Amino acid sequence: MSDHAELDYCYLTTTGRLSGAPHRIEIWFALHEEALYLLAGDGERSDWVRNLMISSDVVVELADRRRTTRARVVEAGTEEDALARRLLFDKYTARGNTDLEDWAASALPVAIEWPVATTYTSLI
């Protein structure tokens, strides 16, 4: 799994809260133990966050792997909140992205269950 952790982005598909249609986005991520973390720059105003708050079932694609799993908003002020922010900030500043401090401090962290022993569906 470590090779997937180095990818620049993943694809997240949520179910539209009004339409019921799939809503797919490309987004930065960080992997840690059995969780994949995302930061929503627009917080709870982000469509994909509003969708997963209604239905936590999501699909994540990393490279040629696809997994159906569950997502949740991370509780503010917790150790997990700080961890998610630090992981994403560190990963993307190390890649030459600058001026991410405000984003890392103000974005809404989302955790996606990512059990290591789970099998994948290949896209190929």
Side-chain angles (χ1 to χ4, degrees):
M1 187 44 143
S2 61
D3 56 328
H4 288 117
E6 296 305 315
L7 295 171
D8 286 329
Y9 56 86
C10 69
Y11 290 96
L12 173 72
T13 302
T14 58
T15 301
R17 66 196 173 283
L18 301 176
S19 69
H23 179 76
R24 184 174 183 250
I25 62 166
E26 179 180 285
I27 191 165
W28 286 354
F29 73 97
L31 282 171
H32 181 72
E33 296 177 355
E34 294 200 350
L36 185 145
Y37 291 104
L38 315 172
L39 290 179
D42 285 336
E44 290 183 5
R45 292 184 310 262
S46 298
D47 253 358
W48 64 273
V49 172
R50 292 166 66 191
N51 290 343
L52 70 83
M53 290 173 81
I54 299 298
S55 174
S56 63
D57 295 327
V58 299
V59 175
V60 176
E61 297 168 52
L62 285 175
D64 63 345
R65 305 293 184 181
R66 177 184 178 109
R67 182 185 291 180
T68 300
T69 186
R70 298 180 71 82
R72 63 181 167 76
V73 173
V74 174
E75 185 178 340
T78 61
E79 288 182 23
E80 186 180 32
D81 176 53
L83 173 68
R85 294 173 190 285
R86 181 178 49 81
L87 288 170
L88 278 126
F89 178 81
D90 291 350
K91 178 178 179 177
Y92 291 99
T93 55
R95 294 171 185 226
N97 295 291
T98 59
D99 198 27
L100 296 179
E101 289 179 13
D102 289 342
W103 168 75
S106 65
L108 181 69
V110 170
I112 298 176
E113 295 173 5
W114 203 258
V116 175
T118 300
T119 58
Y120 298 92
T121 301
S122 178
L123 295 176
I124 300 175

